[in-house]
Amino acid sequence: ILAVPVVWVLAVGWSHRFVTEDGFIYLRVVQQIRAGNGPVFNQGERVEAFTGVVWVAVLSLADLVTPVRLEWLAVIVGLAATAGAVGLSLAGARRLWSRYAGSAALVPFGVLVFVAVFPLWTYATSGLETGLVFAWLGGCFWILAGWAADRGQRMSGPKAAVLGLGWLVRPEMVVYSAVFLVVVLAAQWTTDGWKQRARLVAAAVAVP
């Protein structure tokens, strides 16, 4: 049952695959990186033409280690990230569900609403960072669900670092990172000292 939404996203995303015009901006930047000119649109112009730092890094690495054409890489990686987002969201929901319902069956009605929306089918492979944004949000939900399900568990440094990546995934995602961090700090306030709080904040903001 839980696999159905993931398979559905892969199927409809692939059947509606395309790269939008703005997606080619990313591809141009990746080509400039491979040429040794840095993350620019034109050589010698110090202008940032992209919004997702992590997406540029992912495409650049994929272009470096695979022989697949860059346009197809953007389609495949974007679709895989969107499907991964659905899988991570379901895994997070299962973590919360098992705490309250034990071994009772989990039917993912909520995610069915998400995967039924037509723009998801098209923007899963748009060449933009949309799929990566979904994957990061799904990963954050999975992390927070596991942390919330175990009341005695502290948020680890590596997991806090993932929660703090929002700014690099897409600039406005820094709002989500800030909210996640505030929630964790508030929940652990009575058990953590200032040293632990400082470490948590440092881990969350270290990469950005």
Side-chain angles (χ1 to χ4, degrees), residues 54 88 95 132-148 153-188 199-208:
V54 176
L88 285 167
R95 278 182 158 184
L132 183 64
V133 170
F134 290 148
W136 177 74
L137 288 172
C140 289
F141 176 59
W142 179 78
I143 289 172
L144 290 168
W147 166 77
Q153 179 184 7
R154 277 199 178 97
M155 182 65 64
S156 67
K159 291 178 180 178
V162 174
L163 298 180
L165 284 177
W167 190 6
L168 301 183
V169 173
R170 191 172 165 86
E172 65 267 27
M173 293 295 109
V174 70
V175 176
Y176 288 85
S177 288
V179 171
F180 296 155
L181 184 58
V182 168
V183 167
V184 174
L185 285 172
Q188 297 183 173
R199 285 177 179 172
L200 185 66
V201 173
V205 303
V207 179

Side-chain angles (χ1 to χ4, degrees), residues 9-18 72 75-76 79 121 124-125:
V9 166
L10 288 170
V12 295
W14 182 255
S15 65
H16 293 80
R17 63 191 179 275
F18 88 117
W72 279 109
V75 167
I76 294 169
L79 181 58
W121 306 357
T125 63

Side-chain angles (χ1 to χ4, degrees), residues 8-142:
W8 170 261
V9 166
L10 288 170
V12 295
W14 182 255
S15 65
H16 293 80
R17 63 191 179 275
F18 88 117
V19 177
T20 189
E21 296 93 332
D22 286 355
F24 284 95
I25 296 176
Y26 278 102
L27 305 188
R28 169 78 173 182
V29 172
V30 172
Q31 289 171 342
Q32 293 286 11
I33 292 173
R34 288 297 308 274
N37 300 323
V40 297
F41 191 79
N42 293 316
Q43 183 179 359
E45 294 181 2
R46 295 176 61 83
V47 176
E48 185 177 332
F50 55 90
T51 52
V53 176
V54 176
W55 185 235
V56 170
V58 169
L59 287 180
S60 298
L61 181 61
D63 190 41
L64 180 66
V65 300
T66 67
V68 181
R69 184 168 170 167
L70 187 55
E71 292 86 347
W72 279 109
L73 279 175
V75 167
I76 294 169
V77 176
L79 181 58
T82 305
V86 175
L88 285 167
S89 300
L90 289 168
R94 188 179 180 87
R95 278 182 158 184
L96 293 177
W97 177 257
S98 61
R99 176 184 174 188
Y100 298 104
S103 60
L106 172 64
V107 181
F109 287 113
V111 79
L112 295 181
V113 177
F114 177 67
V115 301
V117 178
F118 179 75
L120 174 70
W121 306 357
T122 54
Y123 279 93
T125 63
S126 63
L128 299 172
E129 69 276 18
T130 311
L132 183 64
V133 170
F134 290 148
W136 177 74
L137 288 172
C140 289
F141 176 59
W142 179 78

